[in-house]
Amino acid sequence: MTGPDWHTLSREFFRRDPREVAPKLLNKLIVRDDGRAGRVVEVEAYCGPEDPAAHSFRGQTRRNATMFGAAGHLYVYFTYGLHWGANAVCGEVGQGVGVLLRAVEPVLGIEAMRAARGGVSVRDRDIGSGPGKLTQALGITGALDGADLIRNDRGIRIVDDGVPPPAVPIAGPRVGISRAVDHPWRWHVPHNPHVSKRPAAGKGKRSTR
């Protein structure tokens, strides 16, 4: 599946600090080759050995090995014994840094995404509004760990369809972690109803990254 103005993101796009990549990923499309696509509306950066909240903080393991590989691959992990999470690997080989894909707005294959999330009763705004919902809606499981997002490996890629990232995204603390909680390394599209968690009044702030 492809659109006339879609451009798959390059390796160089991801080969940067995740705090640079994350806000630039907003409004890009995660595309599956079965017709499903979601627009990225919320992300978080995880920064390896300087970030106690990152899976890679204590070094490489069998579980997190993909994070230490080449930029532009997908790191998929099982969390809380409940659902999958997905990160775009960033930086240089060996750094162990990436961007968590936290929420998407359904764009194409919406009914297939809704069905994957449980059926007709799921509201549009709830289809991809959280990292576990996102992976479920887009069919992302551990079988996609290590998939190359640049080469459409295993039928998944991230593309630019011409919609720019927000000029002034909302930045704030990351969600659902117990360490390094004060870093403002979560970004989302302002006023988008598909984000997983909106900041309390005064908590989020505009970012010019």
Side-chain angles (χ1 to χ4, degrees):
M1 184 182 69
T2 186
D5 300 316
W6 290 4
H7 303 283
T8 302
L9 299 183
S10 69
R11 190 86 58 204
E12 291 304 316
F13 177 93
F14 295 100
R15 196 179 289 155
R16 296 180 287 169
D17 188 296
R19 290 162 291 194
E20 295 179 30
V21 176
K24 300 301 182 185
L25 269 175
L26 294 174
N27 284 333
K28 301 298 187 286
L29 292 178
I30 306 173
V31 180
R32 297 304 316 272
D33 61 0
D34 62 5
R36 288 179 282 183
R39 192 172 303 283
V40 179
V41 296
E42 183 184 0
V43 291
E44 290 178 345
Y46 286 88
C47 300
E50 67 174 277
D51 182 2
H55 287 182
S56 51
F57 178 63
R58 299 187 184 279
Q60 184 172 336
T61 66
R62 184 176 180 180
R63 180 196 190 207
N64 68 21
T66 297
M67 277 200 81
F68 291 85
H73 286 74
L74 192 67
Y75 165 51
V76 183
Y77 61 94
F78 201 57
T79 184
Y80 300 120
L82 295 172
H83 58 73
W84 299 100
N87 293 251
V89 177
C90 299
E92 300 294 338
V93 172
Q95 283 189 299
V97 299
V99 173
L100 173 65
L101 305 169
R102 272 203 66 90
V104 292
E105 176 180 347
V107 173
L108 296 171
I110 296 175
E111 292 312 312
M113 294 172 75
R114 193 191 318 277
R117 284 276 297 114
V120 295
S121 64
V122 179
R123 300 179 302 173
D124 283 5
R125 66 185 296 166
D126 294 327
I127 289 175
S129 57
K133 296 176 183 179
L134 180 157
T135 54
Q136 189 176 29
L138 289 169
I140 298 172
T141 69
L144 293 181
D145 182 42
D148 190 336
L149 296 167
I150 285 81
R151 297 182 178 178
N152 197 30
D153 178 23
R154 286 169 257 178
I156 187 167
R157 60 192 171 121
I158 300 181
V159 309
D160 183 345
D161 70 338
V163 178
V168 188
I170 302 295
R174 295 172 294 182
V175 179
I177 57 174
S178 58
R179 299 178 180 179
V181 295
D182 295 327
H183 293 311
W185 294 347
R186 171 179 170 257
W187 292 266
H188 71 268
V189 176
H191 312 300
N192 190 286
H194 301 269
V195 301
S196 68
K197 184 177 176 65
R198 294 165 189 78
K203 294 294 185 180
K205 59 183 179 180
R206 301 281 176 163
S207 169
T208 56
R209 270 190 180 274

